[in-house]
Amino acid sequence: MSPSEVDLIGLGMTAMSLRPGATPLRLATEASTAALIDAQIDRADVDGLLVGSSQGVRPDRLGVGFAAAGGFRDLRLLEHVEIKGATTIAMIQRARHAIATGEASTVLCVFADAPLVAG
């Protein structure tokens, strides 16, 4: 399969806010659930997961632990992708490559962050 034969089939987003609120994990879970519903696939169909968040050292920062917390099992591909402002396009490129080369058949790209704190 060539990268041109790989399709983006689902999108999930959460509300954005300038106030402290949900954790990155909660936002990632909500967005990934919405994307799976939009794509009309189940969590079990996902065998590749690319996870990203904004830079910075915070205890609640989203990482590859999201795979277990998000209910994703039997992954053939699991990576944290962080390339500052290019993370989103890098994830899409990596997902296309993984599918085209047979590393995975269905890759979910998740970016979630909630850097604002009360006070």
Side-chain angles (χ1 to χ4, degrees), residues 14 20-30 60 62 112-115:
T14 61
T23 66
L25 178 59
R26 180 172 166 206
L27 294 170
T29 301
E30 289 177 15
D60 69 340
L62 190 68
D113 203 3

Side-chain angles (χ1 to χ4, degrees), residues 4-117:
S4 64
E5 297 173 301
V6 176
D7 294 320
L8 255 166
I9 61 166
L11 176 67
M13 295 180 66
T14 61
M16 296 181 74
S17 176
L18 294 176
R19 297 186 178 143
T23 66
L25 178 59
R26 180 172 166 206
L27 294 170
T29 301
E30 289 177 15
S32 63
T33 298
L36 294 172
I37 290 168
D38 186 46
Q40 298 180 3
I41 61 174
D42 295 319
R43 274 181 167 62
D45 297 321
V46 175
D47 63 352
L49 184 60
L50 303 176
V51 180
S53 63
S54 295
Q55 291 190 337
V57 178
R58 295 184 316 274
D60 69 340
R61 188 167 171 245
L62 190 68
V64 296
F66 168 68
F72 296 96
R73 311 274 187 270
D74 299 321
L75 295 174
R76 296 170 48 198
L77 172 69
L78 174 58
E79 295 178 9
H80 187 265
V81 180
E82 187 176 299
I83 309 175
K84 299 191 179 185
T87 298
T88 301
I89 193 65
M91 281 185 177
I92 293 169
Q93 289 173 332
R94 177 65 179 108
R96 290 181 71 204
H97 175 78
I99 294 168
T101 61
E103 291 177 66
S105 60
T106 303
V107 179
L108 179 67
C109 300
V110 180
F111 181 94
D113 203 3
L116 301 175
V117 294

